[in-house]
Amino acid sequence: MTKTEPAGTTSLSDAVATGPNGRLVAVVVTYQRLDQLRVTLQALLDQPTRDLSAVLVVDNASQDGTAEWLAGQSDARLITLTLPENRGGAGGFEAGMRHAVEHLSPDWIVVMDDDARPEPGAFAAFQALDLTGFDGFAAAVRHPDGTLCEMNRPTFNPFWHKKILARTLLGGGRGAFHLGSEDFEIPGLRRVDGASFVGFFVRARTVRQRGYPDPALFLYGDDAIYTMGLTKAGHAIGFDPSVRFEHDSSTYSSADPRIRPLWKVYYYHRNLLILYRIATGLFFGPVLLLYLPRWLFRLRHHRGERGTFLRLFGLAVADGLRRRTERSHDEILRRAEGRKQKPGTEG
């Protein structure tokens, strides 16, 4: 029987057996990467039913045959949610987590991109953990070659830890406030302040209490904003290297230092400002003075398009400082392409 369900339908049966940590539902957001989704979905459905009760794939209006391929799948645990337009990673995770909470009766939700997936035994390892006192959990994420995935290293907020802040100020770089390679080798559950949406587990009751990721962020930083928001509100996020994920991403391996496509300049800088305000508190002003010149220095990589970069960057700073997130993606695309605003939509 095909268990593919459209948006708004009801859930799988609650009779599915679950592991010690209860009913786990995976949420995968996909857009135009069917080849990656095939691998990820297989890795998820290879996890035993006792460890993973359901898989919800959120299709961000892909036009590459994703919907047709998903419709042909027959695993009873698979559910699909097709959005009417591309809402970015943030919008996809918000829609998927909301659908899971409202229709799939989870105890825990685990989220991931379409190019990220659990390693064999990952969810059995998760179910074996004693997560009493924890409301979130971050997996250990590696590239397919086994190296640590830089963008997915769990993090500490230096402004909440004096020793970590000192190491950071003394030139420790990212390593001063992110878990290092040794942390991925030493077994044991420990606390972190923030995590990425690749192998991030969250209790459903915490989502009900604290809400969902902000869909208006579209992409970049939505995971750090959400997870640090949970920590700031008093929820504990754990990490244990026994729960392993693979992320087949090349974001930090490109030799091209430019932001591509250029419209991402807006989301990248706006969302970082929102994140830094959460993370730094009273130190936001000095941090802003430190980072704005660094960001502007990226202009040197955008020869021939510096005017557009500055236009998007200026808009990002203005909106980030005001914590304004209501601009539509269509508006950002128009500004990036230099097209005029439609009457009545000026921001």
Side-chain angles (χ1 to χ4, degrees), residues 197-270:
F197 278 173
V198 169
F200 177 66
F201 300 72
V202 60
R203 288 190 191 271
R205 71 180 184 220
T206 303
V207 177
R208 293 188 187 98
Q209 180 182 3
R210 296 297 175 187
Y212 299 88
D214 182 357
L217 295 172
F218 197 77
L219 82 168
Y220 286 133
D222 51 303
D223 45 10
I225 290 170
Y226 186 74
T227 56
M228 282 201 178
L230 292 179
T231 302
K232 188 175 182 179
H235 298 281
I237 297 175
F239 168 83
D240 189 294
S242 65
V243 181
R244 296 176 55 135
F245 264 64
E246 174 188 280
H247 194 185
D248 188 12
S249 170
S250 59
T251 298
Y252 282 95
S253 63
S254 174
D256 188 350
R258 296 172 297 174
I259 297 177
R260 285 287 182 262
L262 199 58
W263 55 261
K264 291 184 177 181
V265 167
Y266 173 78
Y267 293 110
Y268 179 84
H269 296 100
R270 183 199 66 179

Side-chain angles (χ1 to χ4, degrees), residues 37-293:
L37 179 63
R38 292 175 193 269
V39 180
T40 293
L41 187 57
Q42 187 63 57
L44 285 166
L45 296 178
D46 283 346
Q47 307 285 321
T49 302
R50 181 175 181 273
D51 301 327
L52 179 65
S53 298
V55 179
L56 173 62
V57 175
V58 181
D59 179 8
N60 249 328
S62 299
Q63 300 296 318
D64 62 348
T66 292
E68 294 79 7
W69 181 79
L70 286 170
Q73 304 309 300
S74 60
D75 194 290
R77 289 181 291 172
L78 174 62
I79 300 162
T80 62
L81 176 64
T82 302
L83 302 182
E85 71 281 324
N86 179 15
R87 299 178 184 172
F93 285 120
E94 185 270 342
M97 291 170 66
R98 187 179 297 276
H99 189 84
V101 166
E102 293 178 355
H103 298 289
L104 303 180
S105 304
D107 295 298
W108 286 84
I109 296 169
V110 57
V111 296
M112 67 207 73
D113 295 324
D114 51 12
D115 60 352
R117 67 273 314 190
E119 294 190 6
F123 292 160
F126 169 79
Q127 293 284 4
L129 294 172
D130 180 1
L131 292 171
T132 303
F134 288 91
D135 295 311
F137 178 83
V141 185
R142 293 175 170 82
H143 290 294
D145 63 4
T147 59
L148 298 189
C149 194
E150 179 67 23
M151 73 172 74
N152 302 130
R153 285 197 290 164
T155 185
F156 300 99
N157 180 0
F159 295 91
W160 296 342
H161 308 278
K162 292 180 180 179
K163 291 183 179 179
I164 295 175
L165 178 60
R167 290 203 304 266
T168 304
L169 294 176
L170 291 173
R174 285 177 57 86
F177 57 94
H178 286 76
L179 291 183
S181 57
E182 66 281 2
D183 297 299
F184 284 68
E185 303 299 332
I186 301 172
L189 188 63
R190 71 212 74 175
R191 290 184 64 161
V192 295
D193 294 334
S196 74
F197 278 173
V198 169
F200 177 66
F201 300 72
V202 60
R203 288 190 191 271
R205 71 180 184 220
T206 303
V207 177
R208 293 188 187 98
Q209 180 182 3
R210 296 297 175 187
Y212 299 88
D214 182 357
L217 295 172
F218 197 77
L219 82 168
Y220 286 133
D222 51 303
D223 45 10
I225 290 170
Y226 186 74
T227 56
M228 282 201 178
L230 292 179
T231 302
K232 188 175 182 179
H235 298 281
I237 297 175
F239 168 83
D240 189 294
S242 65
V243 181
R244 296 176 55 135
F245 264 64
E246 174 188 280
H247 194 185
D248 188 12
S249 170
S250 59
T251 298
Y252 282 95
S253 63
S254 174
D256 188 350
R258 296 172 297 174
I259 297 177
R260 285 287 182 262
L262 199 58
W263 55 261
K264 291 184 177 181
V265 167
Y266 173 78
Y267 293 110
Y268 179 84
H269 296 100
R270 183 199 66 179
N271 294 356
L272 276 181
L273 286 173
I274 295 172
L275 172 62
Y276 287 174
R277 188 185 292 274
I278 295 172
T280 60
L282 295 175
F283 296 96
F284 180 65
V287 169
L288 185 65
L289 292 176
L290 175 65
Y291 276 94
L292 282 179

